[in-house]
Amino acid sequence: MKLEFHGHDERYTVEQSLLNLFPGELPVYEPVRPREDESWAIVSWREGEEKSGKRGHACVELGWQGKADACSFGCPLTGTEYEQERRRRHAIGAAFFLACQALTGNTPPWGMLTGVRPDKLVTEALQAGKTPEAARELLEKVYYVTPRRASLALETGTAAFEAAKGLGPRDIALYVGIPFCPTRCAYCSFVSQSVERSFALVEPYLDALTAEIRAAGEMVRETGLRVRALYVGGGTPTTLSAGQLHRLFTELEAAFPLGPGLEVTVEAGRPDTITAEKLGVLKDHGTTRVSVNPQTMEDHVLRAIGRRHSPGDIEDAMELVAKAGFRHVNMDLIAGLPEDTAEGFRRSLDRCLEFGTDNVTVHTLALKKGSRILLEGLDIPGPRAVGEMLDYAEPVLRNAGYAPYYLYRQKYMSGSFENIGWTRPGGACLYNVYIMSELCSILSLGAGGSTKMVDPARRLIRRRFNPKYPKEYAERPEKALANRRDFAAFYGGPETERS
């Protein structure tokens, strides 16, 4: 879509709206010729003094598929410079959204919201003393979120509001990444290595990870921080052998103050990596939750996404998990996988509910750059079929005693929907709430680790990243060292020189 700006340069705001409202359209910054161009927008901004005070006005003229429309949106420009900037961005985004709505007649489920955490608005409103009704009205009237999605956000935003009450200013969560999988799934763009091709990297990686765990543990103790949740993800952590898992958790227990009652989650993930011996190691080391991620129970869909296991293997893995006696178990499904149908997704969800797990996460397929789905052009269900899948999931899960407790969105999601974690009473994974609602800092160890330093009181967030790939991570310990120094300094702790 050709874009022409007047009086501003809010490229990010307009580009995110374009991605949300016109999937597949790319921004092209060239002079617009309304009578000739197929897809275009002229986005203007002016501001000035009026009787009521300083005000700004956004105007969007939009053309698409031979039709054209326009919309304007005004707002007061009061408060700090930061607050005025937020109002300007909202006005431009709202004008673009309303022009699109008038032109196409479509209202995306999340309205004009384009961010990852739409329910954060609810949490912030509740923390500011507003009522749940006011928070819902904010979503529906200010951001044009549909009533159904506003209700979901109210539930999950309230869950985050309650979780935040239990956190102190020096509470953190810990993430440990194991970037290895048996094979690479078609939808995956994560930094993970197929063990088939990189088995020799596993031990050197664990050596480097052990060194980082020891140094990070010392930093946490000296800085006076408290770990409230530990999450071991990937990749697929259970790609490691039982002995390697024992080594990893022994190091974690020695390095960090992991007291009784700590929430410890491990992504067992792929059923073809789960054995009774590995589960026994995890249970012995205090793991409270495992996640088994079938993604689908349809055999032909498993083949299409590159998984080398069958629905029967998932059932066998769930039997092993049940015998191991973990307090909480999660299962992941993805709506919109290649070659799946609404009927197939329904069968998968119904079968997963028969296992009786207290957590079910329903993801919407995100078309990620670098995934095999895009590289090979695999056949995927359209937005309408994905909508049918999600429309089936919500009432079925609610009737089975589940409620939504966290949600997030991603770029390039089919139908512009969302990912939702569902739980039965008492089964919520606090780590998921902490990270998705940005309630506390996340110290991330391992290749591809994304550390997030969060100060809710100052509304301050900073990020640091470890090297992406296992080999690079093992060969560049100085990057993790610099990240630890920054983390300690964020909390006013010692900026150590240790490696």
Side-chain angles (χ1 to χ4, degrees), residues 4 67 87 122 144 172 179 216 254 292 319 338 404 407 454 475-477 479 492:
E4 185 176 312
K67 298 181 292 182
R87 290 189 174 96
V122 171
Y144 312 107
I172 67 170
V292 180
E319 184 176 350
L407 69 83
V454 179
E475 294 174 350
R476 291 186 56 200
K479 185 67 174 71

Side-chain angles (χ1 to χ4, degrees), residues 446-459:
S450 175
T451 286
K452 185 178 292 186
M453 296 168 278
V454 179
D455 184 342
R458 293 185 291 165
R459 299 181 66 150

Side-chain angles (χ1 to χ4, degrees), residues 142-161:
V142 178
Y143 293 97
Y144 312 107
V145 176
T146 62
R148 178 176 170 187
R149 259 60 192 190
S151 295
L152 281 171
L154 183 60
E155 289 183 87
T156 58
T158 301
F161 173 67

Side-chain angles (χ1 to χ4, degrees), residues 12-13 81 102 126 141 143 184 284 293 313 338 403 412 443 451:
Y12 181 81
T13 299
E81 184 176 336
L126 296 176
K141 304 300 184 184
Y143 293 97
R184 190 177 182 85
D284 289 344
N293 305 331
D313 295 327
Y412 314 112
L443 177 59
T451 286

Side-chain angles (χ1 to χ4, degrees), residues 203-400:
E203 281 296 330
Y205 177 78
L206 287 177
D207 291 340
L209 181 58
T210 293
E212 189 184 14
I213 287 171
R214 291 173 180 174
E218 190 166 357
M219 180 272 291
V220 165
R221 291 193 301 272
E222 290 181 350
T223 313
L225 304 177
R226 180 172 65 158
V227 177
R228 296 299 305 275
L230 166 62
Y231 194 102
V232 183
T236 306
T238 43
T239 302
L240 301 180
S241 68
Q244 289 167 336
L245 287 169
H246 173 69
R247 174 189 174 189
L248 172 64
F249 276 90
T250 299
E251 292 290 348
L252 287 167
E253 290 162 354
F256 293 95
L258 307 179
L262 179 78
E263 177 184 276
V264 180
T265 302
V266 177
E267 287 188 8
R270 298 273 290 262
D272 46 343
T273 68
I274 296 173
T275 67
E277 184 182 12
K278 293 179 186 180
L279 295 175
V281 169
L282 298 179
K283 194 71 165 54
D284 289 344
H285 283 284
T287 299
T288 56
R289 179 189 310 269
V290 294
S291 183
V292 180
N293 305 331
Q295 315 303 13
T296 177
M297 296 294 288
E298 297 284 283
D299 193 52
H300 70 286
V301 181
L302 287 170
R303 289 195 301 270
I305 64 176
R307 292 218 169 182
R308 295 181 180 175
H309 61 78
S310 67
D313 295 327
I314 297 167
E315 295 172 356
D316 292 342
M318 289 303 295
E319 184 176 350
L320 292 175
V321 168
K323 288 180 179 178
F326 291 97
R327 192 183 314 164
H328 304 292
V329 181
N330 174 73
M331 297 188 80
D332 279 12
L333 290 174
I334 298 178
L337 287 173
E339 298 190 22
D340 205 359
T341 62
E343 293 76 16
F345 179 83
R346 292 170 190 160
R347 288 191 293 268
S348 293
L349 178 59
D350 291 346
R351 183 66 189 97
C352 284
L353 293 182
E354 292 175 8
F355 294 114
T357 63
D358 61 355
N359 274 244
V360 175
T361 306
V362 178
H363 297 271
T364 300
L365 179 68
L367 298 174
K368 301 175 183 178
K369 295 178 181 178
S371 69
R372 192 159 56 81
I373 289 177
L374 288 183
L375 294 175
E376 298 181 10
L378 301 183
D379 185 32
I380 58 173
R384 178 175 294 181
V386 174
E388 291 179 13
M389 297 174 188
L390 300 180
D391 287 345
Y392 178 78
E394 181 176 348
V396 166
L397 285 161
R398 289 189 186 279
N399 289 337

